[in-house]
Amino acid sequence: MADAPHGLASQDANGSTVFQPLKSVAVRATVIDSELCHASLSLVLTTSSIGPCHRRTDTSASEARYIFPTPANAAVCAFRMQTSGGRAVHARVKELERAKEEFETALAQDKWAGLLQEVAADAFVMSVGAIPRGEDVSFVITYVQELPQDESVKQIRFTFPTFVAERYGHIPAPLQGASSQSERATLSIVVDARMTSPIERIHSPTHSIVTTYATPNVPSLSAIVTLDNTARPPSRKDFVLSIQADAVASSRCVAEVDERRQSVALSLTLVPNLAQVAIPAQEYIFILDRSGSMQEDDRIDFAKAALQIFMRSLPAENTRFNVVGFGSHSVPMWASSRPYTPATLDYATVQVDAMEADMGGTEIQAALQDAISSRSGGMPTSIFVLTDGKIWHTDRVLSFLHRHVSAAGSSNAIRVFTLGVGDGASTELCEGLARVGNGICFMASFSEDIAGRCASLLKAARVSPSGNLHNLSIDWGRGHAHPPSLSQTGRDIISSDLQQTPSSVPDLYPDTRIVVSAIMSQTTTIPPTVTLRGLAPDDRPTVMTFPVQDVTQERDRLLHVLAARRLITELDDGILSAFDSSDPVAHARDAKAAIVRLSEEYQLASRYAAFVAVDETDAGSNVNGEESPIQEKQDDHERGSDSEDDSSSEASYKTAESSPREDEEEDEHPQGLSNGANGAANGRRTSETTSSTTPPAHQSEGVGPPTRVPSSSPPVAYALSHSRRRTALGAAGEGAIMFIANSFVLLVQYL
């Protein structure tokens, strides 16, 4: 039986479906200490099988859509389209309606155009019109993110999400009328880790990897990580990489100068080592996701095991607890929290063991409402949410939670801690709940140790916030940041001399890193120190001073981009105290205006601003080539030749004969990362990869045996496609859209 058509699909002028098969996906990430990760995602489509390129004729494609995931905290900061013939179009960020209008106008004129917009913090849709025929076309998306802490404070966690899972709720308009099916393409991933202290351990709990260190046989500051291409990678599994180094657990402050904007961006990482005093009495409420999606991969069993660990680890005295299961509706175990006793623990243990993922949809807001309503009161409450987070319109849930957390007060405080369960879990919801709930979040795949994450979350919940410090503020060497005014429809948040985000210093938990960013305008002078001030429980002043390191040449303007992204997130959450909460209409208007201004100023995609690219030329010259916050540079040594895709329907994956790299694309590394980096990377490519299992001796770690990577690594095919078909999609229910790959087999090769 012949394979069904596959790939990126569109409609031509005659109404016929045209498929542009997805040929390859390449991910290149540079991890810089604990501060950030710079990554580029390149999607290559082949149109050569359709015939010669006919521009602006009735055979040109009209529009196609492709949906892909990103980490929720990623700042998508560049988008480029390029043909194998050398024609490139660099996109610019514009207000969403204006970007859509330009895109639609280009389609009407049969111009090659692209629109990249955010549909959720962790999901984007790319629309492309009038795709040139007879050439391969690549789309390069660049993003920057702060890497979250892994299980230990000395570890950072890099995740490449491989698919956007089906989600509950009304499907966002840009995604309606689209669907996906499974088909093969090649994927390559390279992670270049650069630390400021020797790397102690690199491992992947999800995939078999190969690690090549820059300096053999001695502790190394850098390494290149690839996948073990001799092992069959698991399908439908997010790629997770954990990197451990001493410097990750240290507080520090770095800064960069932007001469063009006449501004300085600072990033203060706080790893508190403060005396901790346990809360004498507290209420613990556990919210367990029992929706239908938790049946997949037995996620419910994974979550129940975590819940049992939580319940058995609670303080024996002055503790109350409750369990709320939810799906389409929510069911508290008790009408109000009960004292923690051997009898109530035994009862709860039996009840949790019997729970199944049989409650339909994912109405998590109702579960939060029941949890808050079931509080006994008179003591702080820690709410633990165990979920895969698969819902649309997370903003409504976060807004609801923020109102209740703000209204609770200090003596009756509410904090929310989340455990994201399984591959494809929504980082937008899980991280968002912890962010607005003044808690922390851990994501956990099925192959990771759940006990350690449960212990870390419970340890944080058992102590007073801020390590027994309160009234925290930061002096950035220019005084303290004051809440900006939004009275001029978002203008002042851009022009303020000092912008801090989060605007209020978050709670500091034991063995947990937090990052606070700031942008100082109208200056290029980096302050020598920044100072954290607070009050001890007895109201004695406490002061901590941190020297500032200039990393302008290393980071280019990435710290500016990240700070702007965090400002946008805070505006989305509605947390900035500058809002006039008494006027919701003005609140929404001013927030939107501020987000649009930040998006356009720093060239960042957001829910109110999108990338738009229009090819205004018929020649092979670059257009829309204005400077982006992320510099783009040509990297000739990364070019290679693509292999032919295997069309056999009997094999779900294959090893091809040659490198999957084509690659006529440009290197998306920022300017600061490009200078001097290529030589170091080339040096690492010639270093030896060993099969030792001793971490400091430059070994490969992960699932399965390591392998030496040849200079031209063979690709592995995996299932990935998107076809634009009209389907009957309901406004709610677990059956939404599977966007990327029902089967995802990963390979990494050297660049």
Side-chain angles (χ1 to χ4, degrees), residues 282-287 322 324 367-375 380-386 401 404-405 413-419 433-434 437 439-440 457 461:
Q282 187 171 199
E283 195 168 357
Y284 300 83
I285 302 177
F286 303 96
I287 298 179
N322 201 355
V324 178
L368 288 167
Q369 177 68 70
D370 280 349
I372 293 170
S373 300
S374 71
R375 299 173 68 202
T381 300
S382 288
I383 298 175
F384 293 78
V385 181
L386 295 82
L401 178 62
H404 284 274
V405 170
I414 298 173
R415 291 181 291 174
V416 179
F417 302 85
T418 54
L419 183 66
L433 289 173
I440 58 177
L457 288 171

Side-chain angles (χ1 to χ4, degrees), residues 189-440:
I189 299 179
V190 171
V191 180
D192 186 355
R194 308 176 188 181
M195 313 301 287
T196 55
S197 66
I199 297 172
E200 298 177 1
R201 185 178 186 229
I202 296 181
H203 78 285
S204 171
T206 57
H207 294 78
S208 179
I209 63 171
V210 173
T211 303
T212 303
Y213 290 84
T215 53
N217 306 318
V218 296
S220 179
L221 298 177
S222 59
I224 290 181
V225 178
T226 66
L227 296 183
D228 179 3
N229 63 338
T230 66
R232 178 173 179 173
S235 62
R236 286 180 53 82
K237 185 177 286 292
D238 294 341
F239 174 74
V240 177
L241 186 68
S242 180
I243 305 172
Q244 179 173 316
D246 269 337
V248 175
S250 302
S251 297
R252 61 207 163 277
C253 186
V254 294
E256 70 179 15
V257 175
D258 188 335
E259 295 283 355
R260 183 175 68 86
R261 290 190 178 88
Q262 291 289 288
S263 63
V264 175
L266 300 103
S267 178
L268 174 61
T269 300
L270 296 171
V271 186
N273 184 17
L274 306 169
Q276 304 291 333
V277 177
I279 296 177
Q282 187 171 199
E283 195 168 357
Y284 300 83
I285 302 177
F286 303 96
I287 298 179
L288 177 64
D289 190 345
R290 296 178 57 187
S291 64
S293 64
M294 294 291 285
Q295 295 178 8
E296 185 179 351
D297 299 323
D298 296 324
R299 296 180 183 190
I300 187 65
D301 293 334
F302 191 72
K304 284 162 55 178
L307 179 51
Q308 296 286 16
I309 294 172
F310 279 130
M311 292 193 302
R312 292 190 176 97
S313 304
L314 294 177
E317 298 179 353
N318 300 319
T319 296
R320 301 180 69 89
F321 79 115
N322 201 355
V323 178
V324 178
F326 78 95
S328 297
H329 60 288
S330 61
V331 181
M333 186 171 292
W334 297 293
S336 62
S337 296
R338 297 295 178 88
Y340 183 69
T341 66
T344 55
L345 175 60
D346 288 345
Y347 176 82
T349 298
V350 172
Q351 294 297 313
V352 169
D353 279 340
M355 291 179 178
E356 300 292 342
D358 55 2
M359 294 183 65
T362 313
E363 295 290 348
I364 192 169
Q365 183 170 319
L368 288 167
Q369 177 68 70
D370 280 349
I372 293 170
S373 300
S374 71
R375 299 173 68 202
S376 300
M379 64 178 69
T381 300
S382 288
I383 298 175
F384 293 78
V385 181
L386 295 82
T387 181
D388 60 7
K390 294 182 178 180
I391 66 168
W392 294 115
H393 306 296
T394 297
D395 56 318
R396 301 170 187 172
V397 177
L398 300 185
S399 177
F400 165 85
L401 178 62
H402 174 57
R403 290 196 302 270
H404 284 274
V405 170
S406 300
S410 57
S411 62
N412 204 30
I414 298 173
R415 291 181 291 174
V416 179
F417 302 85
T418 54
L419 183 66
V421 178
D423 296 293
S426 171
T427 53
E428 179 186 31
L429 178 68
C430 296
E431 293 178 0
L433 289 173
R435 185 176 63 249
V436 303
N438 297 325
I440 58 177

Side-chain angles (χ1 to χ4, degrees), residues 95 103 109 249 258 288 319 341 496 532 559 570 579 674-675 694 707 718 723 727:
E95 188 274 329
F103 177 70
Q109 298 173 357
D258 188 335
L288 177 64
T319 296
T341 66
S496 174
L532 175 71
L559 296 184
E570 199 167 4
F579 285 120
S674 297
N675 294 338
T694 305
T707 183
Y718 73 101
S723 61
T727 58

